[in-house]
């Protein structure tokens, strides 16, 4: 998603995740693991990792961990 220049809707983000990583995968971050796509999106939203607008979501690069 960081590579996306245009905002994505939640549906478009889920579609992109499935196309890139496959359907039956689990996601992890530096602090949480074993999440579904829905759980990952909810987690990232709760941590304010997205900038949300009427056009969709974009990653807030200022809030991305670099470790």
């Amino acid at each position: 998603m960081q590579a996306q220049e245009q905002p994505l809707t939640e549906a478009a983000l889920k579609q992109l995740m499935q196309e890139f990583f496959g359907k039956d995968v689990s996601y992890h971050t530096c602090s949480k693991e074993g999440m579904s796509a829905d759980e990952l999106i909810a987690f990232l939203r709760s941590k304010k990792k997205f900038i949300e607008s009427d056009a969709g979501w974009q990653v807030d690069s200022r809030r991305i961990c670099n470790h």
Side-chain angles (χ1 to χ4, degrees):
M1 184 167 176
Q2 275 185 276
Q4 295 295 317
E5 293 184 18
Q6 299 297 321
L8 294 171
T9 64
E10 182 174 352
L13 174 58
K14 287 180 187 179
Q15 179 70 30
L16 185 64
M17 291 168 72
Q18 184 174 340
E19 288 172 6
F20 192 81
F21 297 110
K23 186 175 181 176
D24 298 315
V25 297
S26 63
Y27 297 92
H28 69 275
T29 67
C30 57
S31 62
K32 196 169 181 181
E33 59 185 56
M35 294 179 281
S36 68
D38 289 329
E39 291 168 328
L40 175 62
I41 291 169
F43 175 78
L44 294 174
R45 286 181 82 191
S46 75
K47 297 291 185 180
K48 303 196 185 318
K49 302 289 186 177
F50 296 131
I51 298 170
E52 296 184 50
S53 70
D54 291 338
W57 303 342
Q58 286 183 287
V59 171
D60 186 347
S61 59
R62 299 168 300 165
R63 301 196 45 100
I64 301 300
C65 300
N66 291 312
H67 53 87

